[in-house]
Amino acid sequence: LAVGLTNTLLHWSPDCLVLGGSMFHQPGFEVPILEPLIQKYLTIFPKLPVIKLATLGESSALQGALIYFRQRVAN
């Protein structure tokens, strides 16, 4: 997982990486354990982006679609 997330960070260079889904429910992966592993592989960046757990739960896709729709209608 750490190698895959490292590749994701290399491709997009985000300011924040939000992790969620069933892999992060108990028992599951924990951000404090993943961060040093990602830092080990991600040597090109001097500092990791913020890595946090998703808080919107099951409604995240719906929330994102709503924001996108509002932005498109406003233009």
Side-chain angles (χ1 to χ4, degrees), residues 3-68:
V3 172
L5 293 173
T6 299
N7 286 333
T8 299
L9 292 169
L10 287 171
H11 286 296
W12 284 297
S13 302
D15 294 325
C16 180
L17 180 63
V18 180
L19 303 172
S22 61
M23 291 176 53
F24 294 94
H25 294 301
Q26 293 297 333
F29 293 100
E30 297 179 13
V31 172
I33 294 172
L34 284 172
E35 283 179 326
L37 295 172
I38 294 170
Q39 185 67 62
K40 174 181 157 186
Y41 298 118
L42 193 63
T43 57
I44 195 168
F45 295 157
K47 183 180 171 194
L48 280 180
V50 175
I51 301 174
K52 54 178 27 179
L53 289 176
T55 57
L56 292 176
E58 299 294 324
S59 67
S60 62
L62 183 58
Q63 294 290 331
L66 184 60
I67 291 169
Y68 177 76

Side-chain angles (χ1 to χ4, degrees), residues 67-75:
I67 291 169
Y68 177 76
F69 175 74
R70 286 180 179 162
Q71 289 174 346
R72 298 292 290 176
V73 169
N75 292 330

